[in-house]
Amino acid sequence: MKKNIKYIFALLAASAFFLLGCEEEKYELGDLNAPTNLVITTEIVGQNAANPNGNGSGDVKITLSANNAIAYKIGYNKVEDNTSPTLTSLPSGSVTKRFEDPGVIAYRITAVAYGAGGTSTVVTKDITVRSDFNMDPTIVQNLTNGSSKAWVVDKSVPAHLRIGPWDDPSTIWWSAAIDEKVACCNCFYTATYTFTVTPSNTYNLAVSSPDGIFMNRNAAENNLGVSGAGEACHPWTQPTKDIAFGNSASSFPAGLPSEIASTTGYKITVDGNDGFIGYGSCSNTYEIIECTPTYLYLRSRGVNQGNFWYLKLKPAP
């Protein structure tokens, strides 16, 4: 009998231990407080008593700081605009932004600080910046040879076409291998892009596309009105287009590879939404990363896709 009682007590004790061990664990996230004291600190490069809006470079050094912030995003627009700016990640909390449009213009900086659990705090700051535009004549000479010069996509080098998200420029999703598109879309390599200085000292772009143009379906339908499935060669004849040069800088955070972050500080804008260079990416503006007599490296932002496209060209044979 005593043995049975001992057995029952042992069984009850084991059951109690098992039940206690199976109690649901409790997890706590802690206090989900939004960041506080978010401050936008700006330094307009060259600002002094004689130049209250800067030295004309358009460069502004920007630093974000906040209590309990684990990430930041930043965006810019003109004060007169009523649209919300596009926000991009700012991992380091600091960047040098080049405001490109020439003239003395008031801009609004929007900063967002993120805290635990996705909490956030938003502040804005208005600044007035002067930007002067003086095109580098060496770039014009290299691009046009002083009169006219044709370029083609350089299929002989890796990464002659590459793509990544424009809100995270440190990431590259895909890069083309040497000759990658020859089999499916050789038109990408046979089209030529000729930059010409006109007698009135303006500039234009003529595109010769005997085998069509290489473009994705969205860009083809939205910008050019041609249709087709996926990336393919689309029949297309682009009329000669005026182009304009301007200031440009992607204002990437420090620490990125030079092939991505470097820039000449200039851009090419092709007149009209149906103008393009090399690859139709829903954009008619191309930042000049590098331009030598034998090498043209461009970056464009796919407006409808939120991507950065990189393109390498060489003089046409």
Side-chain angles (χ1 to χ4, degrees):
M1 182 70 176
K2 288 182 179 180
K3 289 183 178 180
N4 290 337
I5 292 174
K6 287 181 179 180
Y7 175 78
I8 292 171
F9 275 123
L11 184 61
L12 290 173
S15 299
F17 177 79
F18 174 78
L19 291 173
L20 289 173
C22 290
E23 285 186 4
E24 182 179 354
E25 293 187 33
K26 295 181 179 180
Y27 299 92
E28 294 183 0
L29 292 174
D31 294 333
L32 299 180
N33 296 323
T36 58
N37 299 323
L38 174 57
V39 176
I40 304 173
T41 302
T42 57
E43 177 189 343
I44 302 175
V45 174
Q47 186 180 50
N48 53 36
N51 300 286
N53 302 308
N55 60 8
S57 67
D59 290 341
V60 180
K61 297 178 181 179
I62 304 171
T63 302
L64 309 183
S65 61
N67 297 333
N68 303 317
I70 58 177
Y72 296 101
K73 284 191 174 184
I74 194 167
Y76 318 92
N77 62 342
K78 295 178 181 178
V79 170
E80 64 185 20
D81 293 345
N82 294 319
T83 57
S84 299
T86 300
L87 299 175
T88 59
S89 297
L90 194 64
S92 66
S94 62
V95 68
T96 297
K97 164 68 177 177
R98 173 165 292 177
F99 292 93
E100 302 170 0
D101 289 355
V104 178
I105 300 174
Y107 294 94
R108 177 163 293 135
I109 303 170
T110 300
V112 184
Y114 295 91
T119 58
S120 62
T121 300
V122 182
V123 299
T124 62
K125 181 177 181 178
D126 293 351
I127 58 173
T128 301
V129 184
R130 187 183 110 226
S131 178
D132 303 332
F133 177 66
N134 295 290
M135 186 60 191
D136 184 345
T138 301
I139 292 178
V140 175
Q141 175 64 31
N142 292 340
L143 186 69
T144 67
N145 199 31
S147 56
S148 187
K149 187 173 181 177
W151 297 79
V152 295
V153 174
D154 189 358
K155 64 181 179 179
S156 69
V157 297
H160 53 268
L161 181 66
R162 65 196 309 187
I163 181 176
W166 68 264
D167 61 348
D168 182 12
S170 63
T171 298
I172 295 295
W173 288 329
W174 171 83
S175 293
I178 293 172
D179 292 338
E180 173 143 339
K181 299 298 181 180
V182 169
C184 78
C185 312
N186 197 47
C187 64
F188 187 38
Y189 306 124
T190 60
T192 61
Y193 304 87
T194 302
F195 297 91
T196 300
V197 184
T198 72
S200 58
N201 206 34
T202 60
Y203 310 94
N204 64 41
L205 169 67
V207 178
S208 174
S209 51
D211 303 312
I213 58 169
F214 181 49
M215 184 174 284
N216 67 49
R217 180 175 180 177
N218 288 338
E221 291 181 342
N222 294 342
N223 285 27
L224 304 181
V226 298
S227 61
E231 288 187 334
C233 289
H234 300 274
W236 174 250
T237 301
Q238 176 174 296
T240 298
K241 291 281 189 177
D242 291 335
I243 63 169
F245 298 107
N247 293 321
S248 179
S250 295
S251 304
F252 291 151
L256 297 181
S258 60
E259 189 178 26
I260 295 175
S262 62
T263 179
T264 62
Y266 297 99
K267 65 183 177 183
I268 302 169
T269 300
V270 183
D271 183 51
N273 291 329
D274 57 348
F276 73 99
I277 302 171
Y279 176 74
S281 59
C282 300
S283 176
N284 64 342
T285 299
Y286 298 81
E287 183 176 6
I288 305 172
I289 302 175
E290 188 174 351
C291 182
T292 73
T294 59
Y295 178 54
L296 178 59
Y297 189 26
L298 302 175
R299 168 172 46 228
S300 70
R301 192 170 86 180
V303 176
N304 295 345
Q305 301 166 315
N307 302 330
F308 266 135
W309 290 93
Y310 299 79
L311 190 67
K312 297 178 180 180
L313 299 96
K314 66 178 181 179

